[in-house]
Amino acid sequence: MMDDQRRSPCPVSCTLDVIGDKWTLLIIRDLILGKSHFSEFQKSPEGIATNILSNRLARLVDHGIVEKYPSTSIPGRDAYRLTAKGKALRPVLRSIVKWGLEHIEGTSRELD
């Protein structure tokens, strides 16, 4: 997001502008868990629509959190992986998992 489009210089606000919608961290979760293809993200239990998935993946690529590369397992298809910037979100997701396990009944562990 360009500086002139930010709501404020607050790091919480700026981070939420990039990863704060209800789908983006789920895609990052799936990447951490080993998913890399569009069809794999679609199979997640949350049921993301294809247009939203396409949009979020493109935004993650634009922000340098995810990179797109030619799939080695499905010729002619793209795959996705976290960049170093994306991998730096792993402790954030761990904290969210820990909080959810401690404070939301019925949750179960997904991330190491």
Side-chain angles (χ1 to χ4, degrees):
M1 181 171 283
M2 302 303 291
D3 288 343
D4 59 344
Q5 295 175 334
R6 291 183 178 158
R7 294 179 285 166
S8 77
C10 170
V12 173
S13 176
C14 292
T15 301
L16 289 176
D17 286 342
V18 176
I19 63 168
D21 67 275
K22 74 181 200 174
W23 298 108
T24 302
L25 284 177
L26 295 173
I27 295 167
I28 293 168
R29 172 206 65 193
D30 286 350
L31 286 158
I32 290 170
L33 293 173
K35 294 181 182 182
S36 60
H37 292 93
F38 195 91
S39 60
E40 293 174 314
F41 300 123
Q42 286 184 293
K43 292 176 186 172
S44 292
E46 293 82 15
I48 188 169
T50 58
N51 62 320
I52 294 171
L53 178 56
S54 294
N55 174 272
R56 295 315 184 274
L57 285 168
R59 283 182 43 209
L60 288 167
V61 169
D62 288 345
H63 284 283
I65 295 168
V66 170
E67 63 183 352
K68 183 168 45 169
Y69 64 97
S71 174
T72 56
S73 60
I74 306 174
R77 297 288 183 174
D78 290 323
Y80 299 87
R81 62 183 163 219
L82 293 170
T83 62
K85 186 176 179 180
K87 290 175 184 175
L89 288 166
R90 191 176 187 115
V92 174
L93 264 67
R94 280 191 190 124
S95 293
I96 292 171
V97 167
K98 184 178 185 289
W99 187 89
L101 289 169
E102 292 174 2
H103 300 286
I104 302 174
E105 187 175 330
T107 59
S108 62
R109 185 172 223 35
E110 291 184 350
L111 296 175
D112 300 331

